[in-house]
Amino acid sequence: MTIRIAMWSGPRNISTAMMRSFGARPDCAVSDEPFYGAFLKASGEPHPMARETIESMDCNWHSVLESLSGEAPGGEPIWYQKHMPHHMTGPVALAAFTSHRHAFLIRDPDRVVASYRKKNELRRPEMLGFGQMRRYFEFEAERTGTVPPVVDSDDILTDPAGVLGKLCIALGIEWDTAMLHWEKGPHPEDGIWGEHWYDKVNSSTGFGKAPGELPVLDGEYRETADACRDDYEELARYRIKA
């Protein structure tokens, strides 16, 4: 039986480092934002490398879902799928992911905004996915009658082994210390957009330093982070702590 893990997060949430972490397990396949091409094609969002991304991916919502619900690449027993809730603007809803175990990766919106604005134009709070991630969390909690696991990137960076160990328990898989280290450089599973977005994680071999003070924001960036604050804090109430 394949254990399919759908990890939902916004951009700039150490989501690629988390994909690296799970990909370092010998029993786990990983997939990088499989609906990104479909989102870009349908929305016309002017993201960096949008054309190349669309050309490199299956952009049919239903066939992507069908693929993600099948056997894991290489026949691995665990399949970690990195997803962005704000990509899910097409006909595929969370209710269709009946064969997945869902988890949520969050990060303080001040840190997200400060990181995102270095890589792409930030025009509205919805581009960061906090509201949709909260709705997904609430839907899954109601559907299953249990609280799905939530992890905060600050907590992971502070104590990777402690938080990831508890996350593995919550997902029903064994903890593996291999998750603390990975090979430097691009990985074969990376989306083509990694050329623009993944420079920091590509230079790493493990999780980075524990976070310091929150960055200082002003103007529209302050307003965007503040607009995401309530959704973040509601999700943070349930986060796993070491």
Side-chain angles (χ1 to χ4, degrees), residues 5-47:
I5 298 169
M7 177 63 82
W8 299 94
S9 76
R12 316 311 289 173
N13 277 226
I14 74 164
S15 57
T16 307
M18 284 288 284
M19 182 176 71
R20 291 279 191 272
S21 176
F22 275 84
R25 297 175 61 110
D27 60 353
C28 186
V30 298
S31 292
D32 191 9
E33 301 179 32
F35 288 101
Y36 192 22
F39 163 74
L40 290 172
K41 185 175 181 179
S43 68
E45 281 284 346
H47 283 201

Side-chain angles (χ1 to χ4, degrees), residues 1-4 27-31 67-81:
M1 181 189 74
T2 302
I3 296 174
R4 301 174 191 85
D27 60 353
C28 186
V30 298
S31 292
S67 174
L68 296 173
S69 303
E71 294 299 313
E76 300 293 355
I78 301 172
W79 189 358
Y80 181 92
Q81 301 171 6

Side-chain angles (χ1 to χ4, degrees), residues 21-203:
S21 176
F22 275 84
R25 297 175 61 110
D27 60 353
C28 186
V30 298
S31 292
D32 191 9
E33 301 179 32
F35 288 101
Y36 192 22
F39 163 74
L40 290 172
K41 185 175 181 179
S43 68
E45 281 284 346
H47 283 201
M49 301 187 70
R51 178 181 58 81
E52 295 90 338
T53 298
I54 292 169
E55 291 175 353
S56 71
M57 300 186 75
D58 179 359
C59 295
N60 181 286
W61 298 91
H62 295 291
S63 62
V64 173
L65 175 64
E66 183 178 0
S67 174
L68 296 173
S69 303
E71 294 299 313
E76 300 293 355
I78 301 172
W79 189 358
Y80 181 92
Q81 301 171 6
K82 171 190 167 193
H83 291 293
M84 299 277 165
H86 61 286
H87 289 172
M88 307 305 290
T89 58
V92 173
L94 190 66
F97 288 77
T98 56
S99 64
H100 290 68
R101 302 177 187 184
H102 297 270
F104 298 85
L105 172 64
I106 60 175
R107 189 184 191 191
D108 189 286
D110 285 19
R111 298 194 196 280
V112 174
V113 169
S115 179
Y116 189 94
R117 69 178 183 178
K118 297 176 183 178
K119 291 290 187 178
N120 195 22
E121 181 186 4
L122 183 54
R123 299 186 304 280
R124 57 188 184 279
E126 290 77 14
M127 296 176 70
L128 303 179
F130 282 96
Q132 193 158 350
M133 186 152 52
R134 178 179 176 178
R135 291 191 292 274
Y136 274 21
F137 172 85
E138 292 172 345
F139 174 88
E140 186 65 8
E142 182 175 355
R143 184 184 74 84
T144 64
T146 60
V147 176
V150 178
V151 286
D152 191 300
S153 67
D154 281 11
D155 296 330
I156 293 171
L157 295 176
T158 300
D159 185 357
V163 176
L164 292 178
K166 288 191 173 182
L167 173 62
C168 287
I169 292 172
L171 291 170
I173 62 176
E174 292 185 6
W175 160 243
D176 191 329
T177 57
M179 295 175 68
L180 298 176
H181 303 285
W182 50 80
E183 294 293 325
K184 189 176 182 178
H187 285 214
E189 302 87 359
D190 295 351
I192 193 172
W193 55 89
E195 180 180 332
H196 175 81
W197 295 94
Y198 295 173
D199 52 327
K200 186 173 182 180
V201 75
N202 284 345
S203 67

